Amino acid sequence: MTAERIRDAAILRYGRDGFSVGLRAVAADAGVTAGLVVHHFGSKDGLRKACDAYVLGVIRSAKLKATRGGPAAAIAQLAEIEEYAPMALYSLRSLQAGGELAGEFMEQMCADALEYLEAGVASGLIRPSRDPAGRARYLAMQGMGSLLLWISLHPGFREVDDFRKELRQISDEITLPALELFSEGLFVDRKMLDDYLMYVCDPPAGDAKP
Amino acid sequence: MTAERIRDAAILRYGRDGFSVGLRAVAADAGVTAGLVVHHFGSKDGLRKACDAYVLGVIRSAKLKATRGGPAAAIAQLAEIEEYAPMALYSLRSLQAGGELAGEFMEQMCADALEYLEAGVASGLIRPSRDPAGRARYLAMQGMGSLLLWISLHPGFREVDDFRKELRQISDEITLPALELFSEGLFVDRKMLDDYLMYVCDPPAGDAKP
DNA sequence: TCAAACCTTAAACGCGCGTTCAATCCGCTG
DNA sequence: CAGCGGATTGAACGCGCGTTTAAGGTTTGA
């Protein structure tokens, strides 16, 4: 009961201010003292791990689907749901700081992206790739990365509502360039791609396998 | 003389360990005491600002060109030069932490990307965009963002050499997906783009300008 | 009813941080 | 040589951190 209140307060506060906030601030948000937090979670790191585990579980069970617009849209979608918004923010902070959750979270993102892309390929909407997993990973990393960079450059939101506003602004700004790139590509011809494919099949020197 | 040695040591250490390292660690790297650092730079924040200004100046004068592969390649290119590698790392840490340099750095990146893209358009290699600045910004944010995310997920490099290895690995992994996307796009048809263009020209409700 | 098991608090501890300060060293100039 | 000013040191200060500890409440079950 109280432990869950502390955990929720920690998720909210860590999401807003990052993991460098003190235990006492989290404790005050939950209406308790710092000692009690340690009593329930062992240490600050224990609290962090508990938050990680809880958020990961919720996100896993929420089965966030990567819709069109890339993986960034998945976070946006999650943030639209009032209840989940703090966890979306927390996840971003977690990616920013690295650590246990970050890796699993990105793995999940890549897997979801792959799944969605393959569904698109199967239905004839999306072009097949020579390296589907690599492409999914590439798109997931780029999408989440740009989101991460954005919140680094705009650290000014103090409420979860501001976070939603930021996400909508991002969406507005990137939709046209993304649709252009996804629909028409960037290069006029295929020369660079063909040159590269030729290169990797028949490298000019060295380690060709027998 | 000594001040420059402190500044260089700070750039190196901040780049490796992030901005949370103590003044005493930086001072020890430079072979001086913490008091002297404050004497020369006023405060820890003064040291940070001095590093920011110096790195920004160097990067500005180095006129890093965004070659094919996107803005991430610019960092990689910078890191290949032994002398500049610590500053490339420092810039990434700066983006991670936000702040003064981060904003100007990304502005520079976007401007360079725009310049390079327009040159490509002029020479007939790159497709024109309906929103050239938006596209440049989009590509710069995605490229730098994914780099940022990568170093968050792989915080294990302790030497500048490791950083170069990481960059080469990134390059190897993303080259094929990036070339595919840039050459062939992602969608099979243009329906989504056309729908969106139709939508923004003739929105179904509300704020149409006279 | 009594005591064991808990939840919870307030105070204290030790540590490392950024910063301050007096003292010392060193090189220059008159 | 005397003296001055910047460079440099080492010790100290105050602060906030995570953590520990002893004590006080509150529930609970035999």
Side-chain angles (χ1 to χ4, degrees):
Chain A
M1 174 71 203
T2 305
E4 286 136 33
R5 187 156 36 92
I6 296 174
R7 193 233 301 130
D8 292 344
I11 290 173
L12 205 56
R13 183 94 327 194
Y14 284 154
R16 284 214 278 238
D17 299 347
F19 294 107
S20 58
V21 292
L23 264 185
R24 286 165 176 84
V26 173
D29 287 353
V32 298
T33 59
L36 189 61
V37 178
V38 175
H39 169 74
H40 279 304
F41 297 96
S43 66
K44 180 178 186 178
D45 202 64
L47 174 61
R48 169 81 192 277
K49 282 191 168 65
C51 292
D52 276 16
Y54 179 73
V55 169
L56 189 65
V58 169
I59 284 181
R60 278 245 169 83
S61 70
K63 211 47 185 124
L64 49 107
K65 13 190 177 329
T67 59
R68 83 191 136 116
I75 283 282
Q77 178 183 339
L78 204 62
E80 285 300 324
I81 307 167
E82 188 69 37
E83 184 190 355
Y84 289 174
M87 296 183 210
L89 239 182
Y90 180 92
S91 302
L92 278 183
R93 291 280 177 211
S94 188
L95 283 181
Q96 200 171 22
E100 187 185 345
L101 176 59
E104 298 197 45
F105 185 76
M106 275 314 298
E107 259 183 51
Q108 170 106 4
M109 278 281 171
C110 292
D112 284 349
L114 179 58
E115 190 179 323
Y116 176 74
L117 286 169
E118 302 225 293
V121 171
S123 66
L125 290 174
I126 292 178
R127 312 183 104 93
S129 171
R130 293 155 191 85
D131 176 14
R135 180 173 71 175
R137 182 174 168 75
Y138 169 76
L139 290 173
M141 291 286 288
Q142 299 256 328
M144 289 305 305
S146 67
L147 218 56
L148 203 59
L149 179 52
W150 183 286
I151 69 165
S152 284
L153 294 176
H154 299 81
F157 46 84
R158 300 235 61 76
E159 294 299 326
V160 180
D161 250 19
D162 300 341
F163 178 49
R164 264 192 291 269
K165 285 205 185 74
E166 296 273 352
L167 283 172
R168 264 189 282 262
Q169 189 185 341
I170 296 177
S171 176
D172 288 347
E173 283 191 16
I174 74 170
T175 298
L176 178 58
L179 282 179
E180 267 189 2
L181 179 62
F182 290 173
S183 300
E184 307 176 322
L186 191 67
F187 298 148
V188 171
D189 58 31
R190 302 172 33 98
K191 185 172 188 313
M192 277 193 181
L193 174 59
D194 290 335
D195 284 356
Y196 176 76
L197 290 173
M198 197 73 87
Y199 169 83
V200 293
C201 289
D202 182 21
D207 48 17
K209 290 183 181 176
Chain B
M1 175 72 202
T2 305
E4 286 137 34
R5 187 155 38 91
I6 295 174
R7 192 228 307 127
D8 292 344
I11 290 173
L12 204 57
R13 184 141 275 251
Y14 283 153
R16 285 214 278 237
D17 298 347
F19 294 107
S20 58
V21 292
L23 265 184
R24 286 166 176 84
V26 173
D29 287 352
V32 298
T33 59
L36 190 59
V37 178
V38 175
H39 171 72
H40 279 302
F41 297 95
S43 66
K44 181 178 186 177
D45 202 64
L47 174 61
R48 169 80 193 277
K49 282 191 168 66
C51 291
D52 276 16
Y54 179 72
V55 169
L56 189 65
V58 168
I59 284 181
R60 279 245 169 83
S61 69
K63 212 51 186 116
L64 48 107
K65 16 191 177 324
T67 60
R68 83 191 136 118
I75 282 282
Q77 177 183 340
L78 205 62
E80 285 298 324
I81 307 167
E82 188 68 38
E83 185 191 355
Y84 289 173
M87 296 182 209
L89 239 181
Y90 179 92
S91 302
L92 278 183
R93 290 281 177 210
S94 188
L95 283 182
Q96 201 170 23
E100 187 186 346
L101 176 59
E104 298 198 44
F105 185 76
M106 277 313 299
E107 259 183 51
Q108 170 104 6
M109 277 281 169
C110 292
D112 284 350
L114 179 58
E115 191 179 323
Y116 176 74
L117 285 169
E118 302 226 293
V121 172
S123 66
L125 290 174
I126 291 179
R127 312 183 104 94
S129 171
R130 291 155 191 85
D131 176 14
R135 180 173 72 174
R137 181 174 170 76
Y138 170 75
L139 290 173
M141 291 286 288
Q142 298 258 329
M144 289 305 306
S146 66
L147 217 56
L148 202 59
L149 179 52
W150 185 286
I151 69 165
S152 283
L153 294 175
H154 299 80
F157 46 84
R158 300 235 61 76
E159 293 300 326
V160 181
D161 250 20
D162 299 341
F163 178 49
R164 265 192 290 269
K165 284 205 185 74
E166 295 273 352
L167 283 172
R168 265 189 281 263
Q169 190 186 341
I170 296 177
S171 176
D172 288 348
E173 283 190 17
I174 74 170
T175 298
L176 178 57
L179 282 178
E180 266 189 3
L181 179 61
F182 290 172
S183 300
E184 306 177 321
L186 189 68
F187 297 149
V188 171
D189 58 31
R190 301 171 33 97
K191 183 171 189 314
M192 278 194 180
L193 175 58
D194 291 336
D195 284 355
Y196 176 76
L197 290 174
M198 198 73 86
Y199 169 81
V200 293
C201 289
D202 182 21
D207 47 19
K209 291 181 181 177

